[in-house]
Amino acid sequence: MGRYYRYKLPPWARKCIFIIEKVTLPILLFQLIRTIFFPSTFDLILLGILVGLLICFYLRWI
């Protein structure tokens, strides 16, 4: 099997990935501000997931 290649996916899946990629940074910034003012365990876990997702998109792993 070759490396994961997002353009081999069906058009609807590619569109979903592109939308998630564009929306991740604004949601991450909102969650960061929310975590700074109202910290909770759920907020920290969600912030960690969003940071990981953003890194994956930046490094083109997804």
Side-chain angles (χ1 to χ4, degrees):
M1 293 294 292
R3 188 170 176 249
Y4 172 75
Y5 188 58
R6 70 169 66 178
Y7 295 103
K8 287 183 180 178
L9 296 172
W12 62 270
R14 264 186 303 185
K15 188 174 182 179
C16 288
I17 288 175
F18 290 141
I19 290 171
I20 292 170
E21 186 175 8
K22 298 298 180 195
V23 172
T24 303
L25 184 61
I27 293 174
L28 175 77
L29 293 175
F30 173 76
Q31 187 62 33
L32 178 66
I33 293 168
R34 187 177 188 279
T35 303
I36 289 171
F37 289 117
F38 308 111
S40 70
T41 305
F42 177 73
D43 290 329
L44 290 173
I45 291 170
L46 188 59
L47 185 64
I49 290 170
L50 288 171
V51 167
L53 187 63
L54 187 71
I55 290 171
C56 288
F57 280 129
Y58 180 72
L59 296 176
R60 295 288 181 194
W61 290 347
I62 296 178

